[in-house]
Amino acid sequence: MKIYLLSFLLLNISVDLFSQEIYKKKCISQSGKSIYEIALLAKKEGMGEIRLEFNGEVNLYSAKVLIINTNNIVGVAKFKSSLTGQIEGSPWVFTYYFDTDKFIDDGRLEANCSEI
């Protein structure tokens, strides 16, 4: 009986994981100076990662989805590490729009996205 229960639980967990959509996009600002690579788990409280290249710096951010609806994903990015020596960074809010494939950094910088 325990084996059946364990099998049932594992099957349900794995089905749930496979049914969750992960958005993987490369987003480039109009100036070309900011390049984002995003991987977001499309569910509330879902975690992901954002890689940002700007002015020769490459920083990694953990990304937490706060709001998801039919139009967009809104979340917060927190500095995780740097590939170019940065030791800290400020958190910022991001928005990804499904219909226009646009990514907005802190409500200001807009970037066009495409599949990775």
Side-chain angles (χ1 to χ4, degrees), residues 27-71:
C27 308
I28 302 173
S29 66
Q30 291 177 349
S31 69
K33 292 181 180 180
S34 297
I35 301 171
Y36 304 85
E37 290 182 13
I38 65 173
L40 301 172
L41 181 58
K43 73 172 200 164
K44 189 172 181 180
E45 303 295 319
M47 295 301 294
E49 189 169 84
I50 299 173
R51 180 181 187 268
L52 170 58
E53 289 182 45
F54 177 74
N55 275 348
E57 296 177 5
V58 180
N59 296 324
L60 303 175
Y61 296 84
S62 61
K64 183 174 185 180
V65 174
L66 301 176
I67 300 168
I68 184 165
N69 57 47
T70 56
N71 300 324

Side-chain angles (χ1 to χ4, degrees), residues 42-113:
K43 73 172 200 164
K44 189 172 181 180
E45 303 295 319
M47 295 301 294
E49 189 169 84
I50 299 173
R51 180 181 187 268
L52 170 58
E53 289 182 45
F54 177 74
N55 275 348
E57 296 177 5
V58 180
N59 296 324
L60 303 175
Y61 296 84
S62 61
K64 183 174 185 180
V65 174
L66 301 176
I67 300 168
I68 184 165
N69 57 47
T70 56
N71 300 324
N72 58 31
I73 294 174
V74 178
V76 65
K78 293 185 179 177
F79 182 81
K80 190 162 105 173
S81 65
S82 174
L83 302 178
T84 53
Q86 290 292 105
I87 55 171
E88 64 182 353
S90 299
W92 45 276
V93 174
F94 64 85
T95 306
Y96 171 73
Y97 290 93
F98 300 118
D99 56 345
T100 59
D101 239 0
K102 297 231 185 256
F103 183 81
I104 299 182
D105 175 342
D106 234 5
R108 297 181 302 244
L109 186 64
E110 189 175 299
N112 296 314
C113 302

